[in-house]
Amino acid sequence: MAKRREVTAVEGATPGAGLRGEAGAASARPRLADEVYDFLLSQLMTLRIEPDARVTIDALARELGVSQTPIRDALSRLEADGLVVRVHLAGYRVAPQITRQQFEDLVEIRLLLEPSVARHAAERMTPAQTEQLRGLLEDMARPQAGDQHLAYGIFGRRDAAFHDLIAVGGGNRVVRETLARLHTHVHLFRLLYDAKVTNEAMDEHAEILEAIAARDADGAAYAMRRHILRSGERFRPIFERMAAPVKK
């Protein structure tokens, strides 16, 4: 049996130095919790913290130089995102990578649901929702200064928000909740850390948005289907490389 990995140091963090000063009023706490969440998200999405690694609250608190409260808040959010799993009496562990079969199943269910969602969004989205979608796309396109691993994690979260907002606009709550439970974008972005992924996704998102804004239901469904197929093409070679025999 493989030895269980445990997070004993977080790359990029300075033990004892903290993410930011904790001195201050309670009003600073929500922001600190968000910073801890964003930091851990970037570590998980770019595999700096590996799949199946054990994560303990007290170790993270010491290494990041913060109290346990923002760590607990961040891990609870990451559990809801499908990135970590709570282990009884043992803290948390990082969720495993999806398998090739799970990946193909995700592509299949997305092809069944999301083109229809985009079609309905083109028919039903309010002007305010469309502008919100456009604003989100503009945020995704804006260059992020600083740690690019953090920027990649934030992009993955916004990518998920983009698709979720389309589902909201489509007006079917059951379909939206079904798609949300899949945590598709978290799983996909953990497979590959590459700026090419974000650039290509941005272009495809723009096509979807313009079709929705134009009330072009067929065009929106087509653009979404093409986006999902291209996404599959981007990530599928990862599994093929993993399955290839190692050359001696």
Side-chain angles (χ1 to χ4, degrees), residues 7 9-14 39 43 47-49 63-64 147 149:
V7 176
V10 180
E11 184 177 350
T14 303
F39 181 80
Q43 302 296 302
L47 303 185
R48 286 183 168 185
I49 301 179
E63 289 156 13
L64 298 181
D147 187 346
H149 289 82

Side-chain angles (χ1 to χ4, degrees), residues 65 124 184:
R124 301 171 180 172
T184 298

Side-chain angles (χ1 to χ4, degrees), residues 19-20 26-38 70 77:
L19 294 178
R20 66 191 296 269
S27 61
R29 292 176 187 167
R31 183 181 175 192
L32 177 60
D34 289 342
E35 289 183 4
V36 172
Y37 170 80
D38 285 341
R77 291 171 64 183

Side-chain angles (χ1 to χ4, degrees), residues 46-194:
T46 57
L47 303 185
R48 286 183 168 185
I49 301 179
E50 297 180 354
D52 294 312
R54 186 173 172 226
V55 180
T56 58
I57 294 172
D58 57 343
L60 282 174
R62 288 194 303 270
E63 289 156 13
L64 298 181
V66 300
S67 70
Q68 292 190 6
T69 299
I71 301 293
R72 292 180 188 278
D73 291 344
L75 288 173
S76 293
R77 291 171 64 183
L78 292 167
E79 182 182 20
D81 292 338
L83 278 168
V84 299
V85 179
R86 190 192 302 268
V87 180
H88 183 58
L89 300 179
Y92 292 83
R93 67 175 175 82
V94 180
Q97 292 277 49
I98 59 173
T99 65
R100 173 67 180 267
Q101 186 58 56
Q102 289 171 324
F103 168 78
E104 298 297 347
D105 289 346
L106 280 175
V107 172
E108 182 177 352
I109 193 65
R110 292 186 71 194
L111 287 171
L112 287 172
L113 295 179
E114 290 197 66
S116 177
V117 166
R119 175 185 298 278
H120 289 312
E123 296 169 341
R124 301 171 180 172
M125 247 188 173
T126 67
Q129 288 175 323
T130 302
E131 285 308 304
Q132 185 180 356
L133 192 65
R134 191 180 302 280
L136 184 55
L137 193 61
E138 290 172 354
D139 287 342
M140 294 170 71
R142 191 172 296 116
Q144 296 287 321
D147 187 346
Q148 291 307 298
H149 289 82
L150 177 60
Y152 189 77
I154 292 173
F155 183 93
R157 189 176 66 189
R158 288 173 174 168
D159 183 84
F162 180 86
H163 284 266
D164 183 62
L165 186 53
I166 293 173
V168 171
N172 188 315
R173 182 179 298 178
V174 173
V175 171
R176 181 201 176 190
E177 292 173 351
T178 299
L179 290 169
R181 283 194 296 269
L182 297 176
H183 303 297
T184 298
H185 304 89
V186 163
H187 291 309
L188 292 181
F189 276 85
R190 288 177 72 207
L191 291 173
L192 178 65
Y193 171 54
D194 189 343

